[in-house]
Amino acid sequence: MQTIAFIGLGHMGAPMAANLIKAGYLLRVFDLVQSAIDGLIAQGASAARSAHDAVDGADVVVTMLPASQHVEGLYLGNEGLLAHIVPGTLVLECSTIAPASARKVHQAAAERKIPMLDAPVSGGTGGAIAGTLTFMVGGDAQVLERAHPVFSAMGRNIFHAGGDGAGQVAKVCNNQLLAVLMIGTAESLALGAANGLDPVVLSEIMRRSSGGNWALEVYNPWPGVMENAPASRGYTGGFMAALMTKDLGLAQETAQVSGNSTPMGSLALALYRLLVKQGHGEQDFSVIQKLFDS
Ligand code: NAD
């Protein structure tokens, strides 16, 4: 039985780790927040005292952290995990971070003969709980073959996007598009409601018409339209607006490097920054609806 060290047990990491337990892996878990560790122990994981302790003797390491600085801080440098992990151990870095950061970690891992993949995910907390995430993988195809069973225990679609960092490039492209679609959906719902339409009726019309998109299918931003969407539970849980703001910043950084013009992404970033400044950073990103409410 393979042992997996899982580090970062937040909104996404906790249910992903739980699915690995259900698939029969032995889990050693660590997070900076003790209650997050306790939640996984209750489901059969064993607790580690530190990230270094978690990776000791593990066959696979999975990390699910907030942003680039957390990932670089954990893996790199003399005290970093890569200096400690046994060569040959498989490292799957699933956080959404800058492609350049992912490449730095890839390079440091390669120098220590540690096979590593950048493998950000899509599908939200619902997908993490249901084990239906999409993995966008960057790195060596043979390493992906080895990692496939682990990804399959947490997700349904596993795409090889390309070489080192390509998973992260795919992810920032996807999230830029997601933000634009969410903002457009919220704007249209507010317009319809202000002109006398029932948001439930309008949502169904647009869902089945040419404006149909993922937000209308499973993540409606208008409270009460969709029972299981974060909007219907006060925008709690889900994907924090602050993290979407981070991802839109990553898309802008990526566009800067390649010289692309991304006006929609740039406007989306400005709107999400405004939302965060208004105090909504810790709420689900569909809380963008509030910008159009009044
Ligand atoms: P989160 O903030 O809920 O969880 C992050 C966890 O990492 C926290 O529990 C935190 O305590 C822990 N952590 C931070 N630094 C640590 C360290 N050095 N050692 C151990 N633990 C540490 O975030 P999340 O929503 O689970 O998102 C995680 C990543 O997945 C982010 O990069 C995010 O952009 C991405 N993502 C999130 C969603 C979503 O719907 N929430 C969807 C797709 C991708």
Side-chain angles (χ1 to χ4, degrees), residues 110-146:
E111 282 165 10
R112 289 228 48 239
K113 304 217 174 328
I114 294 171
M116 182 225 157
L117 298 170
D118 55 290
V121 305
S122 176
T125 46
I129 293 165
T132 57
L133 291 171
T134 294
F135 284 87
M136 307 170 198
V137 183
D140 191 279
Q142 282 180 340
V143 178
L144 173 53
E145 217 168 286
R146 190 177 151 197

Side-chain angles (χ1 to χ4, degrees), residues 89-172:
T89 308
L90 181 60
V91 170
L92 309 176
E93 210 306 290
C94 297
S95 327
T96 303
I97 61 172
S101 261
R103 286 187 201 111
K104 258 193 230 174
V105 180
H106 268 285
Q107 195 183 339
E111 282 165 10
R112 289 228 48 239
K113 304 217 174 328
I114 294 171
M116 182 225 157
L117 298 170
D118 55 290
V121 305
S122 176
T125 46
I129 293 165
T132 57
L133 291 171
T134 294
F135 284 87
M136 307 170 198
V137 183
D140 191 279
Q142 282 180 340
V143 178
L144 173 53
E145 217 168 286
R146 190 177 151 197
H148 212 278
V150 181
F151 288 142
S152 298
M154 301 182 282
R156 186 180 286 159
N157 301 304
I158 297 143
F159 292 109
H160 188 209
D164 296 356
Q168 297 296 348
V169 175
K171 175 67 183 171
V172 298

Side-chain angles (χ1 to χ4, degrees), residues 6-39:
F6 203 113
I7 302 167
L9 306 165
H11 289 107
M12 296 294 286
M16 289 164 71
N19 280 329
L20 290 172
I21 296 172
K22 279 183 208 143
Y25 291 101
L26 299 173
L27 266 273
R28 289 169 60 75
V29 297
F30 180 69
D31 193 288
L32 299 177
V33 177
Q34 185 59 42
S35 59
I37 298 177
D38 295 342

